[in-house]
Amino acid sequence: MGAKRRRSWKVLIIPDDESGVRQYRLTQIGLTALIGIAALLVLYAAAETILFWVVAKRAAEVEPLRQRVSELESSGDKAAQLGVQLAELRSLEQQIRRMMAGGRTDLSESVPWDRTGQATGQSSMESYPRTPDSRVSVNPVADARGVGKASFTAMDVPTLPPVRGYVTRRFTVADSDNPLAHYGLDIAAAEGTPVRAAADGLVVFADWTYRYGNLAVIQHRSDFVSFYGHNQVLLVQPGERVRQGEPIALVGNSGLSTAPHLHFELWHGGSPVDPTSLLARLP
């Protein structure tokens, strides 16, 4: 018997005008190879398409991650700044507690006072002359409204009475006739009456103390420090900036107190100042 004839295929290419007809013969092996090459091309195209979408998806995820990294870096910088400010406030709080215990200290620490957070430098209040009983002997409001020299404004000077009521005890210094000093004003008022900040400033202490109960302390850019004691409740927290006239507490009877009233003190350069020398008008 003769050898078995291998199977083959013809491929005809016929132009529209039926001229120049071309024909190609494909064997079984050739057809298989052609189909294999076509399959590989299809697989390659599919792989390229899948890879494109994977890369596009990854690229879309990169930008949010980059923004998140930037936010975390910014948060880290802010946390570092808050840590520095917290250390300053803790140091200042210790000084205030020592002052409340009867010690004398200077509260004019390096605290950023201007609205941009930059240190304002030395205040012109340091040049104010003082009388023997530590009362300010000039008008700080007039100086604050001056041009060019003052590093603070009238809103930074504690001239606003913190509460309306009756002055039951005034500022006194210790001497041979009166061994017990009272570095402030006691202003009787109804319990729950709003206590207002005497000037713009930064709350450096807001907590309970044995003697003054719920006590708030504000440092002002004019280098004054104001104390508000015996409050029923405090409306501010340490590190909070307040405006002159803004409510910071409610009148109460906390601490060593016999009736609802506000104990109000002013200090400057570590020395007590008679509030009546600064308040625009008595309560």
Side-chain angles (χ1 to χ4, degrees):
M1 291 180 63
K4 184 177 180 181
R5 187 177 180 182
R6 294 182 178 179
R7 189 176 183 183
S8 62
W9 287 267
K10 286 184 178 180
V11 178
L12 298 178
I13 300 178
I14 305 174
D16 290 340
D17 56 2
E18 298 183 357
S19 61
V21 176
R22 296 181 181 181
Q23 63 178 357
Y24 300 92
R25 184 181 298 277
L26 292 176
T27 64
Q28 181 71 32
I29 295 175
L31 181 60
T32 302
L34 184 62
I35 293 175
I37 292 172
L40 289 174
L41 291 175
V42 171
L43 290 176
Y44 176 77
E48 285 288 333
T49 302
I50 294 173
L51 182 61
F52 171 80
W53 286 111
V54 170
V55 172
K57 183 178 180 181
R58 295 293 184 185
E61 294 174 351
V62 166
E63 187 60 27
L65 289 175
R66 188 175 299 169
Q67 294 178 358
R68 181 56 178 165
V69 169
S70 177
E71 291 175 358
L72 290 175
E73 290 177 349
S74 176
S75 298
D77 294 340
K78 292 180 180 178
Q81 294 176 1
L82 290 176
V84 173
Q85 293 179 0
L86 180 60
E88 292 176 346
L89 289 176
R90 284 177 176 173
S91 176
L92 193 56
E93 178 182 346
Q94 293 176 358
Q95 296 181 48
I96 291 170
R97 289 187 184 276
R98 288 196 297 269
M99 179 182 292
M100 290 291 96
R104 289 169 62 87
T105 182
D106 186 3
L107 292 179
S108 57
E109 296 289 337
S110 56
V111 178
W113 286 115
D114 63 357
R115 304 305 181 204
T116 61
Q118 300 295 325
T120 58
Q122 188 177 21
S123 170
S124 62
M125 286 296 294
E126 295 179 358
S127 61
Y128 283 177
R130 295 179 176 277
T131 59
D133 63 354
S134 299
R135 301 189 185 189
V136 175
S137 58
V138 295
N139 188 344
V141 179
D143 275 6
R145 290 173 179 170
V147 179
K149 293 184 178 180
S151 60
F152 53 89
T153 68
M155 303 295 287
D156 300 309
V157 181
T159 57
L160 180 72
V163 70
R164 291 294 177 187
Y166 298 95
V167 177
T168 57
R169 190 176 181 185
R170 295 183 177 272
F171 177 95
T172 56
V173 295
D175 53 29
S176 57
D177 297 329
N178 182 20
L180 298 178
H182 185 251
Y183 296 139
L185 294 179
D186 285 348
I187 306 173
E191 193 166 3
T193 301
V195 177
R196 304 182 184 277
D200 293 359
L202 178 73
V203 179
V204 295
F205 185 88
D207 205 343
W208 187 88
T209 64
Y210 173 76
R211 182 177 180 182
Y212 293 102
N214 292 317
L215 173 68
V217 181
I218 301 176
Q219 186 170 10
H220 309 284
R221 191 165 56 174
S222 55
D223 285 348
F224 278 98
V225 180
S226 55
F227 293 74
Y228 311 77
H230 303 304
N231 297 290
Q232 180 186 57
V233 64
L234 299 174
L235 306 180
V236 292
Q237 297 179 353
E240 184 176 344
R241 294 185 184 276
V242 294
R243 296 281 190 177
Q244 186 180 57
E246 180 179 344
I248 60 171
L250 300 180
V251 171
N253 192 29
S254 60
L256 299 181
S257 174
T258 58
H261 74 285
L262 172 70
H263 177 78
F264 178 66
E265 290 187 18
L266 287 179
W267 289 68
H268 182 266
S271 300
V273 178
D274 186 354
T276 59
S277 65
L278 289 172
L279 295 181
R281 54 192 181 279
L282 288 176

